[in-house]
Amino acid sequence: LAADAPPLRPMAGPVEIMHLKDVKPGMKGIAWTVFQGTEPEAVPIEIVGRLKNQNGPNQDIIVAKMLGKAKVTNVAGGMSGSPVYIDGKLVGAVALRMSTFSPDAVCGITPIELMLEINDLDKSRPDDARTPEKARARNGAVSVPDGMLDFPASAGPMPQPMMVPIEAPLMLSGFTDSALREFSPMFQQLGVNAVQGGAANDIHSNKPAPGWEHALNPGDSIAGVLVDGDMSVTGLGTVTYNDGKRVLGFGHSFFNLGPVDIPMSKGEVIMTLASSYQPNKMANATEIVGALHQDRFTGIMGVLGAESDMIPVTVKLRSLDDKEKLTHEKDFHFNVFVHQKWTPYLMMLTLYNSLSELNEMADETTYRLSGKVELDGAGLSLSPISLSTMTASGEAPMPPPLAMAAWWGNMFNRLYLNNVNTPDVKRVNVTVDLLPERRVATIESAWVQEPEVRAGDSVPVKVFLRPYRGERIERDFTVKIPEGLAKGDHRIMLSDADTVNRMQNMAGMMDRYIDLPQTVSLLNQERSNNKLYVSLVESTPTAYFDDKTLPSLPASVLNVMQA
């Protein structure tokens, strides 16, 4: 008897689909997925039946058993989107699996009819839709997203569903165990399974590689690239359908963000880890071939040949001795994808990771950061944002690298959550100096020689600072009393940066309609925390208007401003 001819692997182009109503229990078909390398392999499929309303009202899924190699590996992370064919007709994408410890490779298939709705959504977007590429081209109001760290607290244990979406494993390459440990809870809150693994270190450009026209056939591995360069963050799945230009994959959402602009790449599977608990593909993202434009409930959609903007980031780490002489220097270069929610978070993750892999890091180290964020004004007058801060070990439970990364991420959060304009960040450069001691001091005492002065006088002031260890520091300075200052009681305040910044920051957060230039101005006005600030404080009504401080206002004007 002649053996059955091996099935022909699917290729890009129009394909006949099998409607959900025509799928019956007992039917046999073939799924295509990559177990190793780049070539997809045929996996026999046997239809078990349909689960009604599994994904929501009128959203049935098809339950099937995967045979062949899949019986060994089980339904692995990264198989999301594997196309399923019956009699040469496309049925849908492998997208779900049994929640835990299934002895059989039972999968859930998202019907192709639900996935094709994503194409219709992309075509139906209005001309003035605030998609990422249009947000870069003009200044339009954007809706306020949820805060980067504002996650709802769980009210109690959640019921375990029978079928769960196959995780599109978010693979972090070039990241330390410490970074993965510190940030895993946040990834889990975002519904993402973060693992150390596949790399995109060879990707240093967001331009589609030559030959993109013939990339990402059904069954091939597909990846969304969030960070590339010296460290990388990529999400892996499988291509379900390719009409020659548009590509559908996953069979479930990536992050469920709606319209997106994420670089889309090919993938190479190193191996598929077999497990009845958490099987996964270990893979690399290889070449950029387009851009993901839709991230919807039933899948992702990308366009071959499209180009996504990314933010080039350079992190320079300098180790200094106790006399601030340079002893060692290290540079990191990477790119971060643009999204008002994810960009601040990825900036925080990558800076923390950069600081965590240094031999010079020690418990008593002080970290001094200076950074510049360059923006494209698109018709607005925007100066670069200059940021600086210092952190050191102290009584706080948060380690200094994490505290500095959180501060850094918050700066981008304030920038991207602007209610009036969408920022277009062109590049980011940051330098962090590592100083070999805990540089922390507190104000111990201070006094003035003469408690009574006249307007125009210069008042000598003496202050003693107590460092963490060592002899106390004595400083003398003079405060010039302004001409025309009214009679009365006034105060000279010695403080840190937070005290001086606090009132203006509070006013800025209360004003919901500060535009982008004013936000940049406020960020540039913030004082750095490596100085002692001397303020002459006068008790007068003061109004904060956008990025401006208006002291000593007449009562009539103040009443209007408050209204």
Side-chain angles (χ1 to χ4, degrees):
L1 295 176
D4 291 338
L8 296 176
R9 63 160 295 185
M11 302 301 289
V15 64
E16 187 177 357
I17 69 171
M18 178 175 285
H19 296 284
L20 179 61
K21 62 182 178 61
D22 298 325
V23 179
K24 307 298 180 185
M27 284 184 165
K28 291 179 170 55
I30 294 174
W32 290 87
T33 197
V34 178
F35 288 94
Q36 189 173 26
T38 59
E39 288 295 319
E41 299 179 38
V43 179
I45 287 274
E46 182 179 340
I47 303 299
V48 175
R50 283 166 57 181
L51 270 180
K52 296 282 188 178
N53 299 332
Q54 169 69 19
N55 278 342
N58 298 321
Q59 299 239 4
D60 299 353
I61 65 163
I62 304 164
V63 180
K65 284 185 179 181
M66 301 183 77
L67 307 173
K69 269 191 179 182
K71 289 187 67 175
V72 178
T73 64
N74 215 314
V75 186
M79 286 186 181
S80 299
S82 300
V84 176
Y85 297 84
I86 296 177
D87 297 332
K89 298 178 181 179
L90 180 59
V91 176
V94 174
L96 300 97
R97 64 182 174 194
M98 296 294 288
S99 52
T100 52
F101 298 115
S102 170
D104 298 313
V106 177
C107 68
I109 300 169
T110 299
I112 188 62
E113 295 155 280
L114 297 178
M115 296 183 67
L116 288 171
E117 291 176 3
I118 302 172
N119 283 341
D120 296 331
L121 281 170
D122 198 61
K123 293 173 185 174
S124 65
R125 284 187 292 173
D127 291 337
D128 63 346
R130 297 187 180 100
T131 55
E133 65 270 18
K134 291 181 178 170
R136 290 191 293 270
R138 78 181 199 293
N139 305 315
V142 296
S143 59
V144 183
D146 294 330
M148 181 172 63
L149 303 178
D150 294 342
F151 299 113
S154 175
M158 298 294 291
Q160 183 69 29
M162 181 178 296
M163 300 288 288
V164 295
I166 305 169
E167 295 94 345
L170 197 66
M171 287 185 257
L172 281 66
S173 175
F175 286 83
T176 63
D177 290 338
S178 172
L180 199 64
R181 184 172 59 252
E182 292 289 350
F183 286 83
S184 281
M186 291 184 178
F187 279 122
Q188 290 169 3
Q189 291 278 15
L190 292 164
V192 175
N193 178 32
V195 296
Q196 282 182 318
N201 299 61
D202 293 334
I203 301 176
H204 290 278
S205 171
N206 56 347
K207 296 184 181 299
W212 59 262
E213 302 91 342
H214 310 293
L216 298 185
N217 290 300
D220 287 349
S221 295
I222 181 175
V225 180
L226 308 186
V227 177
D228 66 49
D230 290 337
M231 57 191 85
S232 63
V233 180
T234 56
L236 181 81
T238 303
V239 178
T240 307
Y241 174 68
N242 179 343
D243 66 4
K245 185 67 175 178
R246 295 174 184 240
V247 175
L248 294 174
F250 281 26
H252 57 70
S253 66
F254 194 1
F255 304 118
N256 208 20
L257 297 175
V260 292
D261 195 17
I262 303 175
M264 177 176 69
S265 82
K266 299 192 294 185
E268 176 191 21
V269 178
I270 304 303
M271 68 170 291
T272 301
L273 176 66
S275 169
S276 60
Y277 174 59
Q278 197 175 45
N280 265 314
K281 292 183 181 182
M282 298 175 60
N284 296 323
T286 54
E287 297 176 323
I288 298 292
V289 291
L292 297 177
H293 282 178
Q294 294 289 335
D295 176 16
R296 300 290 180 171
F297 182 69
T298 58
I300 58 171
M301 189 280 291
V303 177
L304 292 169
E307 187 175 326
S308 299
D309 278 353
M310 297 189 84
I311 302 172
V313 180
T314 298
V315 177
K316 181 183 292 292
L317 303 178
R318 306 193 309 168
S319 300
L320 309 179
D321 62 18
D322 55 358
K323 294 183 173 51
E324 301 215 8
K325 181 180 178 182
L326 180 66
T327 60
H328 185 69
E329 187 173 284
K330 199 171 189 179
D331 289 352
F332 295 103
H333 303 277
F334 51 89
N335 303 299
V336 176
F337 104 103
V338 181
H339 189 269
Q340 59 190 6
K341 179 179 179 180
W342 274 90
T343 299
Y345 180 66
L346 292 171
M347 289 291 184
M348 180 167 62
L349 170 66
T350 49
L351 180 63
Y352 176 77
N353 186 66
S354 300
L355 298 176
S356 298
E357 60 174 35
L358 297 175
N359 287 328
E360 290 81 4
M361 192 176 85
D363 186 52
E364 294 297 310
T365 301
T366 296
Y367 300 82
R368 181 174 60 200
L369 177 147
S370 59
K372 180 171 286 188
V373 181
E374 298 181 30
L375 302 104
D376 187 343
L380 300 173
S381 178
L382 292 179
S383 58
I385 303 174
S386 296
L387 301 171
S388 64
T389 192
M390 289 180 71
T391 61
S393 300
E395 298 179 355
M398 184 180 293
L402 188 57
M404 177 166 282
W407 177 90
W408 181 244
N410 184 56
M411 295 299 108
F412 286 93
N413 206 35
R414 290 170 59 183
L415 189 64
Y416 275 92
L417 294 188
N418 185 269
N419 288 5
V420 181
N421 309 108
T422 302
D424 183 5
V425 178
K426 303 310 295 180
R427 64 186 55 85
V428 174
N429 293 287
V430 57
T431 300
V432 180
D433 295 335
L434 280 71
L435 308 167
E437 58 184 334
R438 190 189 296 191
R439 296 198 177 184
V440 176
T442 57
I443 302 170
E444 187 176 73
S445 60
W447 66 88
V448 295
Q449 293 182 2
E450 297 292 337
E452 294 184 4
V453 295
R454 294 182 174 86
D457 285 354
S458 293
V459 180
V461 180
K462 184 182 290 290
V463 62
F464 287 103
L465 302 174
R466 177 64 66 179
Y468 168 63
R469 285 184 179 142
E471 298 297 324
R472 70 177 184 176
I473 302 167
E474 178 183 346
R475 290 288 183 268
D476 295 287
F477 51 88
T478 58
V479 175
K480 176 72 174 177
I481 306 301
E483 298 283 355
L485 187 66
K487 290 182 179 182
D489 292 333
H490 303 279
R491 291 182 297 135
I492 293 174
M493 180 176 70
L494 307 179
S495 71
D496 61 358
D498 287 343
T499 303
V500 187
N501 291 331
R502 187 176 300 131
M503 193 62 72
Q504 192 169 28
N505 287 344
M506 289 175 58
M509 287 187 288
M510 291 172 64
D511 189 343
R512 299 183 59 190
Y513 299 102
I514 291 180
D515 64 13
L516 191 56
Q518 292 160 351
T519 300
V520 171
S521 175
L522 282 172
L523 290 173
N524 279 329
Q525 287 181 48
E526 287 198 6
R527 287 85 169 178
S528 175
N529 67 348
N530 62 348
K531 294 181 175 68
L532 171 70
Y533 291 90
V534 185
S535 310
L536 180 63
V537 181
E538 184 179 9
S539 181
T540 60
T542 301
Y544 294 92
F545 184 71
D546 294 336
D547 59 330
K548 300 170 182 63
T549 303
L550 309 176
S552 305
L553 288 176
S556 58
V557 176
L558 187 63
N559 287 336
V560 174
M561 297 288 290
Q562 288 177 333

